Amino acid sequence: NFGLAVLYVVLAIPAAKYAKSGKLGMQSNGEKAKVLSKQFFLSKTVTILGSNFYMSIIKKLLDTFACDYGTMTLYQDPSIECFTGLHYLYLGSGCSALFFYYPLATFMYPNLQFNDKTSDIKFDPGYMVFLSQAKLVLVGITVFFPTVNDVYIMLLISFAILLVISVVSFRQEPCLLKIFNLWNTGGFLV
């Protein structure tokens, strides 16, 4: 997932330039980008990596920090001893990827999705930032409370976060396609 984070950073920069000029998801002739065109690929890849894979990428990057302090090994790979040679390499790559990926995916992606001409379902950027922060907390819980003994804590906090997201979604109606707001809210309650 380090590679996916780097790919997102590389693609988000030109996508931001297109979005700033109002041309993200548009071909050079001013038409909506056609399937498999360069612009279509750019906007959809940024969407997939900035939204759909957000939790997966953040989780893998945070996994480099999650040590079992009883055995001094990584939770995700007990063969790696924490704070030794190989772990420092993982920490360095995880930190550098988080440093670039997190702010771009959390704060720039909401504006990219809102300005993307290939997207028909658009959400308020402020809501998308809130949703990314909630996802970060959910991922942090799964990374730093990974044992079976912690499952009740994880479930309780996750339930509370999903309930807050659904209330915010219901009250704000963040999607421009109003009928979708009901489905969006319901999805968090299921």
Side-chain angles (χ1 to χ4, degrees), residues 17-164:
K17 289 178 184 175
Y18 284 118
K20 187 176 180 180
S21 67
K23 297 179 181 177
L24 181 62
M26 293 179 69
Q27 296 182 159
S28 58
N29 63 5
E31 292 179 4
K32 190 173 176 181
K34 300 208 184 312
V35 176
L36 300 181
S37 68
K38 178 183 168 189
Q39 277 290 334
F40 186 84
F41 172 76
L42 177 66
S43 71
K44 294 309 170 194
T45 304
V46 166
T47 295
I48 289 168
L49 296 177
S51 179
N52 302 44
F53 287 1
Y54 179 83
M55 289 179 77
S56 173
I57 291 171
I58 291 287
K59 181 184 182 316
K60 286 298 180 187
L61 297 176
L62 287 178
D63 277 343
T64 62
F65 298 95
C67 290
D68 179 351
Y69 292 102
T71 61
M72 287 307 291
T73 58
L74 276 177
Y75 276 120
Q76 295 302 317
D77 188 352
S79 68
I80 297 175
E81 189 176 336
C82 288
F83 307 109
T84 61
L86 186 57
H87 186 232
Y88 285 130
L89 178 67
Y90 286 159
L91 281 174
S93 61
C95 281
S96 61
L98 272 171
F99 181 76
F100 291 105
Y101 177 79
Y102 171 75
L104 292 178
T106 302
F107 301 106
M108 186 166 49
Y109 171 73
N111 293 306
L112 293 178
Q113 65 84 30
F114 195 78
N115 292 306
D116 186 356
K117 306 297 186 215
T118 64
S119 179
D120 294 328
I121 299 175
K122 298 179 186 213
F123 288 89
D124 175 68
Y127 172 78
M128 294 295 291
V129 170
F130 163 74
L131 191 59
S132 293
Q133 299 305 314
K135 288 178 180 179
L136 177 67
V137 172
L138 286 171
V139 167
I141 291 165
T142 62
V143 168
F144 295 108
F145 295 101
T147 65
V148 174
N149 297 337
D150 300 326
V151 77
Y152 293 113
I153 294 170
M154 187 174 20
L155 288 173
L156 183 64
I157 295 172
S158 298
F159 175 75
I161 290 170
L162 291 173
L163 187 62
V164 168

